[in-house]
Amino acid sequence: MGLIVQKFGGSSVADAEKIRHVARIITDTYDKGNSVVAVVSAQGGATDELIAKAAEINPEASQREMDMLLATGEQASCALCAMAVEVLKYPVISLTGRQAGIDSDDTHGNARIQSVNPQRILSELEHDRIVIVAGFQGETPNGDIATLGRGGSDTSAVALAAALNAQVCQIYTDVDGVYTTDPRLVPQAIQLDEITYDEMLILAHHGAKVLHDRSVALAKEKGVVLEVLSSFSGNPGTMVKSAIKHDNSRLVAGIAQEKAIFLSLSGIQNTDGVLSRIAALLAEKDISADLILKPAKVEEGATVCLGLKESQGEGVSQLLLEHSDSLGFHTLESNTYTRISIVGQELDRAPSISQRISQLLKNSNCSDPIMTFGQHRISLFVSEDDGIELLPLLHQMLFEETANQIPK
Amino acid sequence: MGLIVQKFGGSSVADAEKIRHVARIITDTYDKGNSVVAVVSAQGGATDELIAKAAEINPEASQREMDMLLATGEQASCALCAMAVEVLKYPVISLTGRQAGIDSDDTHGNARIQSVNPQRILSELEHDRIVIVAGFQGETPNGDIATLGRGGSDTSAVALAAALNAQVCQIYTDVDGVYTTDPRLVPQAIQLDEITYDEMLILAHHGAKVLHDRSVALAKEKGVVLEVLSSFSGNPGTMVKSAIKHDNSRLVAGIAQEKAIFLSLSGIQNTDGVLSRIAALLAEKDISADLILKPAKVEEGATVCLGLKESQGEGVSQLLLEHSDSLGFHTLESNTYTRISIVGQELDRAPSISQRISQLLKNSNCSDPIMTFGQHRISLFVSEDDGIELLPLLHQMLFEETANQIPK
C-alpha cells in the first residue's frame, strides 16, 4: 500500500454519472489502504465551449487570457469530483494547479512544469484526505495561470507522482491499455502487459493516441511508472516503465499509424551535406522528419524527401521554400501518405525484419512503399488505401504468428 | 482624472454583445485619462448552471467545494471581458480575486474581506493597463478560494476602491440609479442625485434591491463614494456618500417595500423585559426585527409582535418556540404582510410625518395598518393588496407634492 496518483480525462468526467463512477474508483483505491491523489481534466466538451465563447468575443485573444478562461474547466471539474467523493462520505479536498504547488513557466497555452511543491498535498494526505487536483494548469512565476498544452493533465499527474514519489501513476482512459495497434483498425490487436518508455514515446510520436509523448518523456526522466488502464472495465492495464520483464521481451512492441505529408525537393545538383542542412533547419523549429536522399541521373539532379506529421506540412514547406537557393532544389512537391511505424526497442538488433516486411509487401497488392528507418522504428509511407490493407497484414505477421521473437 | 473602480453585474456581462458594451464603457473611461479597475460578476445564469451541476452530484456539497466551483464563473467572465478590451486595442489584464490581493476569512459561501493587498493591481496600473478583477471571491488564509456571499461583487469593488483610494466606485446596473421607490411599482418614482450611506443602508435592508447593504456598510466604513448608474443609458447616476449637499436636503429619501412576516406571541402575563429578552435572542442570530408590545386585558395577557424579513420567519418561529416557557407566551401566530418603509435621515426631526401618514391612511380604503418606528425609518405592515394601493399614495404625498421638506 502506498501513494497512488490517478488521472481521469475529459471523457471520464463528462457527466454526473461518470463523475460518480470516478469517485467510486478513487474511493475503492483508498479503501485498499492507499493514499490517493487524483488529477482530472475538464469535463468533455467544456473546453470547446469556452473556446467558442472566447472566439465570439475575440478570435485573436491573448494566450494569457485564454489560459485564465480555460483553466476554469479543470477547476470546476475537480470541485465536482470532490463533491461526488463527499457523497460517499470520504474525506476529500479539491485543489487548483496552484494550490497543488504546480509551478510552470509563462509560455501561456503551452507551458512546461518547472517544479512541484507538494507541501499542501502532503499536509492534506496526512489528514487522510483524498486529494483531487485540477489538471492542465500551473502557476507562472508572477502568479498568473498557465495551461500546459497537449496532454496537459497527463503531465500534471506525472509531475505530481514524481514529486510525491508515488508508487504508480495510473492514467485512466476509455481503452484497456496500450495495444499492439489501434483496435478500431485491427480487431486482433493485443493489449500489452508492459512497454518501455522509449517504445511508448515513439509510438505516441507516430500516431498512437493513448498517451501524449510529453508526459511519457517526463515519466521517463523522473522514473515514474505509468499504468494505462480503463476506467470502465476494471481490468489490469499496461505498465509503462524503463525495462520490461525478460519473459515479456519481444521484437516489436506495436504499430502506430497516422496521416503524414511527404515533401519531395527535386533537382538538387549538389547533395553534399544537404540532408544535415535540412535537419538543422527543422531542429531549430523543434521538428523531426524522416529524411531520404534519392540519387538520380546527373542532369536531373537528386531528390530529397521529408516525411512529416500532417500538421507540420505547410509550415515546413514554407521554411524550405525560403531556403530554396541555399538548399539548391528547384521543385517542391507535397503528397499525403499514411505513415505506418513499426516500433520495438529490440528492432535495431533484427535487420532481417525489413526483409520480411519487403517480402510481405511483394505478396500484397500494395504499390512499392517508401521505407525509412529511425531508432527502434521502421516506417512505411503508403497511400491511404494501401495502409488500410497493409496494417492488418503487418499485425498478423508480427503479432499473430510466432515471429515476434528476439533473434538469438 | 484619477482612479475609477467600476463594477458590472451578471446581467451586464450576460452575453458577447453585452460584454463588448462593457468593454466600451471601460475604454471610454480610460480615454478620459482615468486609471480603470473593473470588477465583474459571473455571466447572468452561469452561477445557476454551476449550482444545478453541483446539485445533480451532491445536493449537500460542502461550501468549500461549492466556492471552488462557483468562483470559476467570475474567473471566466473577467477573462472574457479582458478579451473584449483586447479587441479594442487597449492594454488590459484580468485578475482573479487572489491575484487582485483580496484576502478573506474562511467562512465559505459567505466570506468577509479581511484585507486587500493592491500591489499587483498598482503594478499593472503603472504599466497603463486596464485591470479586470473577478468579483465575489477572495483567498482564505490557507490559500483556498472563498466566495463573499450576498452582493459579493459589489463588496469586492468597494474594498478595492478603498484599498486603491479610488475617486469613485461606480456600480453599473440596469437602472439609472437609486429611485424614490421601485419604478416598476410607481412609474412616478424619481431618480435621486444623492443619498447618504445611512439612508441607502436602511432602504437596502428593507427591500430596495439596487445595492446590497453589506457593500454600502463597507463603503460607509471606508468612506468610498459610490455612484449607482445604468450601463445602458449613459446618464449620471445616484451618488451614495456620507452627507448630501444642503440644497438637495429633504425629509424622506425613499420608500422601500418587501414581503414580511409578522409573528404574534400572545397570552404573555409578565411583560417586564420581554421585548429586550426577545431582542437579545434575535441579536445572537444577527437578526433585527420590528418589535411591538400590545397590552391587553389582564386575564388575556399581552401580545408581542415581531416584524421580520420573509426569509427569517421560519427560523425565528422555531427559536421563539424553543423559548416559549421563559418568554411566557402560549400562542404563536404567523402572518404574511407587505412592509412599506419610509426612510430619511431627517425623518426623526419631523414627528408630524406619522400623523400625515395616518391621515392618508384614513382617507384610503386600507384597513388600519401596524406602524413601527426605527432609526431614520417608519414602517407600515399592510396586506399585499393594501400595499399595492398605498405605495403610490405615499409616494405622491411625500415626493410629488411639496411636502418633502425639512421642517424649519
Side-chain angles (χ1 to χ4, degrees):
Chain A
M1 303 306 99
L3 195 159
I4 295 182
V5 173
Q6 302 185 317
K7 181 258 168 179
F8 299 93
S11 60
S12 299
V13 294
D15 58 36
E17 184 48 44
K18 284 179 176 159
I19 286 178
R20 276 190 278 268
H21 181 68
V22 161
R24 283 189 292 267
I25 293 177
I26 291 171
T27 53
D28 284 353
T29 311
Y30 182 89
D31 279 342
K32 286 174 187 144
N34 300 293
S35 297
V36 185
V37 175
V39 176
V40 298
S41 302
Q43 292 192 275
T47 303
D48 289 340
E49 271 176 42
L50 291 170
I51 290 173
K53 271 197 171 189
E56 198 186 344
I57 288 169
N58 184 351
E60 290 172 339
S62 69
Q63 202 57 58
R64 194 264 176 203
E65 297 301 337
M66 283 303 291
D67 280 1
M68 185 78 158
L69 179 69
L70 295 183
T72 63
E74 281 74 18
Q75 183 175 325
S77 151
C78 76
L80 292 170
C81 287
M83 291 175 190
V85 171
E86 283 178 345
V87 169
L88 304 174
K89 308 286 178 206
Y90 287 75
V92 63
I93 191 158
S94 70
L95 299 175
T96 62
R98 182 191 71 78
Q99 290 168 344
I102 299 176
D103 293 324
S104 76
D105 63 23
D106 61 0
T107 317
H108 285 287
N110 194 24
R112 283 179 183 260
I113 294 174
Q114 296 298 299
S115 63
V116 177
N117 174 355
Q119 205 182 319
R120 172 79 191 262
I121 294 183
L122 289 172
S123 143
E124 299 296 344
L125 293 176
E126 265 167 38
H127 288 86
D128 291 327
R129 294 198 185 105
I130 291 166
V131 179
I132 320 255
V133 177
F136 187 60
Q137 57 185 244
E139 186 178 49
T140 71
N142 73 341
D144 285 343
I145 299 170
T147 66
L148 303 178
R150 277 192 313 125
S153 292
D154 286 9
T155 312
S156 302
V158 172
L160 286 173
L164 296 164
N165 202 15
Q167 174 185 317
V168 61
C169 178
Q170 296 183 318
I171 309 285
Y172 281 88
T173 74
D174 48 7
V175 293
D176 266 327
V178 182
Y179 279 73
T180 46
T181 195
D182 188 336
R184 287 167 302 183
L185 301 177
V186 182
Q188 292 79 15
I190 302 153
Q191 189 201 324
L192 297 167
D193 294 336
E194 299 183 306
I195 189 168
T196 69
Y197 295 123
D198 286 336
E199 289 168 338
M200 192 66 240
L201 270 173
I202 301 169
L203 283 173
H205 188 72
H206 289 86
K209 292 197 180 60
V210 64
L211 284 176
H212 282 277
D213 48 2
R214 191 183 277 188
S215 57
V216 179
L218 186 64
K220 181 186 172 187
E221 182 194 328
K222 302 283 189 184
V224 171
V225 175
L226 301 178
E227 181 178 7
V228 180
L229 70 176
S230 162
S231 47
F232 303 107
S233 73
N235 298 333
T238 300
M239 308 303 289
V240 187
K241 43 208 257 195
S242 58
I244 60 176
K245 287 190 205 112
H246 185 68
D247 54 357
N248 277 344
S249 61
R250 67 282 181 274
L251 197 54
V252 177
I255 312 174
Q257 67 107 41
E258 64 178 343
K259 272 198 184 174
I261 292 291
F262 207 74
L263 300 180
S264 302
L265 313 181
S266 53
I268 300 176
Q269 296 297 340
N270 177 9
T271 58
D272 285 357
V274 70
L275 288 187
S276 59
R277 271 179 290 148
I278 292 174
L281 273 180
L282 297 180
E284 264 179 47
K285 306 275 177 187
D286 209 16
I287 292 168
S288 65
D290 285 323
L291 287 176
I292 304 157
L293 179 65
K294 280 192 188 165
K297 288 178 201 153
V298 174
E299 61 271 27
E300 289 171 6
T303 297
V304 168
C305 300
L306 295 88
L308 292 161
K309 289 194 168 296
E310 194 187 26
S311 60
Q312 299 168 332
E314 205 164 323
V316 171
S317 295
Q318 213 145 11
L319 182 71
L320 294 172
L321 287 171
E322 282 164 19
H323 294 81
S324 60
D325 286 350
S326 64
L327 296 171
F329 66 90
H330 63 66
T331 317
L332 185 153
E333 200 186 333
S334 172
N335 290 292
T336 307
Y337 282 89
T338 293
R339 172 161 60 183
I340 296 178
S341 298
I342 297 146
V343 176
Q345 202 150 327
E346 305 293 338
L347 207 56
D348 313 344
R349 288 167 56 191
S352 65
I353 193 102
S354 62
Q355 288 155 25
R356 285 170 48 214
I357 292 170
S358 298
Q359 194 58 48
L360 179 79
L361 289 166
K362 270 184 204 145
N363 297 343
S364 76
N365 300 317
C366 301
S367 37
D368 200 23
I370 302 145
M371 200 183 292
T372 66
F373 298 85
Q375 199 192 15
H376 309 334
R377 169 176 68 93
I378 298 171
S379 290
L380 306 173
F381 289 85
V382 295
S383 71
E384 195 181 338
D385 285 347
D386 283 358
I388 290 166
E389 185 184 339
L390 204 53
L391 188 63
L393 293 175
L394 282 166
H395 190 271
Q396 187 177 34
M397 179 178 89
L398 294 170
F399 294 105
E400 298 163 49
E401 296 163 7
T402 54
N404 190 16
Q405 285 160 5
I406 297 173
K408 306 291 170 200
Chain B
M1 303 307 101
L3 197 159
I4 294 182
V5 173
Q6 302 185 316
K7 181 261 171 178
F8 298 94
S11 60
S12 299
V13 294
D15 57 36
E17 185 46 45
K18 284 179 176 159
I19 285 177
R20 276 190 279 268
H21 181 68
V22 161
R24 283 188 291 268
I25 293 176
I26 291 170
T27 54
D28 283 353
T29 311
Y30 182 88
D31 279 342
K32 287 175 187 145
N34 300 293
S35 297
V36 184
V37 175
V39 176
V40 297
S41 302
Q43 292 192 276
T47 303
D48 289 341
E49 272 176 41
L50 291 170
I51 290 172
K53 271 197 170 189
E56 197 186 345
I57 288 169
N58 185 350
E60 290 172 338
S62 69
Q63 202 57 57
R64 194 264 177 203
E65 297 301 337
M66 283 304 291
D67 280 1
M68 185 77 157
L69 179 69
L70 295 184
T72 64
E74 280 75 18
Q75 183 174 325
S77 150
C78 76
L80 292 170
C81 287
M83 291 175 192
V85 172
E86 282 179 345
V87 169
L88 303 175
K89 308 289 180 206
Y90 288 75
V92 64
I93 192 159
S94 70
L95 299 175
T96 62
R98 182 190 72 77
Q99 291 168 344
I102 299 176
D103 295 324
S104 76
D105 63 22
D106 61 359
T107 316
H108 285 287
N110 195 23
R112 282 179 183 258
I113 294 174
Q114 296 298 297
S115 62
V116 177
N117 174 354
Q119 205 181 319
R120 173 76 191 264
I121 294 183
L122 288 172
S123 144
E124 300 295 345
L125 293 176
E126 267 167 37
H127 288 88
D128 292 326
R129 294 198 184 105
I130 290 165
V131 178
I132 320 255
V133 177
F136 188 59
Q137 55 184 247
E139 186 179 50
T140 71
N142 73 340
D144 285 345
I145 299 169
T147 66
L148 303 178
R150 276 190 317 122
S153 292
D154 286 8
T155 312
S156 302
V158 172
L160 286 173
L164 295 163
N165 201 14
Q167 173 185 317
V168 61
C169 178
Q170 296 183 317
I171 309 286
Y172 281 88
T173 75
D174 47 7
V175 293
D176 266 327
V178 182
Y179 279 74
T180 46
T181 195
D182 188 336
R184 288 166 302 184
L185 302 177
V186 182
Q188 291 80 14
I190 301 152
Q191 189 201 325
L192 297 166
D193 294 334
E194 299 183 306
I195 189 169
T196 69
Y197 295 123
D198 285 335
E199 290 167 338
M200 192 65 241
L201 270 172
I202 300 168
L203 283 172
H205 188 73
H206 290 84
K209 291 197 181 62
V210 64
L211 283 177
H212 284 277
D213 49 1
R214 192 183 276 187
S215 56
V216 180
L218 186 64
K220 180 187 173 187
E221 181 194 329
K222 302 285 188 182
V224 171
V225 175
L226 301 178
E227 182 179 5
V228 180
L229 71 175
S230 162
S231 47
F232 303 106
S233 75
N235 297 334
T238 301
M239 308 303 289
V240 186
K241 42 208 256 193
S242 56
I244 61 176
K245 288 190 204 112
H246 184 67
D247 54 358
N248 277 344
S249 61
R250 67 280 180 277
L251 197 55
V252 178
I255 312 174
Q257 66 107 40
E258 64 178 343
K259 272 198 183 175
I261 293 291
F262 207 74
L263 300 179
S264 301
L265 313 181
S266 54
I268 301 176
Q269 298 297 338
N270 177 9
T271 58
D272 285 357
V274 68
L275 288 187
S276 60
R277 271 180 291 147
I278 292 174
L281 273 179
L282 297 180
E284 263 179 49
K285 307 275 176 187
D286 208 16
I287 292 169
S288 66
D290 284 324
L291 287 175
I292 303 158
L293 179 64
K294 281 191 189 166
K297 289 177 200 154
V298 174
E299 60 271 26
E300 287 171 8
T303 298
V304 168
C305 300
L306 295 88
L308 292 162
K309 288 194 169 295
E310 192 186 28
S311 59
Q312 298 168 332
E314 204 164 323
V316 171
S317 293
Q318 213 145 10
L319 181 72
L320 293 172
L321 287 171
E322 282 164 19
H323 294 80
S324 60
D325 285 354
S326 65
L327 296 172
F329 66 90
H330 62 67
T331 316
L332 185 152
E333 199 186 334
S334 172
N335 290 294
T336 307
Y337 282 89
T338 293
R339 172 160 59 182
I340 296 178
S341 298
I342 297 146
V343 176
Q345 202 150 330
E346 306 293 339
L347 207 55
D348 314 343
R349 289 167 55 191
S352 65
I353 192 100
S354 61
Q355 289 155 25
R356 286 170 47 214
I357 292 169
S358 299
Q359 194 59 46
L360 179 80
L361 289 165
K362 271 184 205 145
N363 299 343
S364 76
N365 302 315
C366 301
S367 35
D368 201 25
I370 303 146
M371 201 183 292
T372 66
F373 298 84
Q375 198 191 15
H376 309 334
R377 170 177 65 92
I378 297 170
S379 290
L380 307 172
F381 290 84
V382 295
S383 72
E384 196 181 339
D385 284 347
D386 283 357
I388 291 167
E389 185 185 338
L390 203 53
L391 189 63
L393 294 176
L394 281 166
H395 191 270
Q396 188 176 35
M397 179 179 89
L398 293 170
F399 295 104
E400 298 162 53
E401 295 162 10
T402 55
N404 191 16
Q405 286 162 4
I406 298 174
K408 304 295 169 195

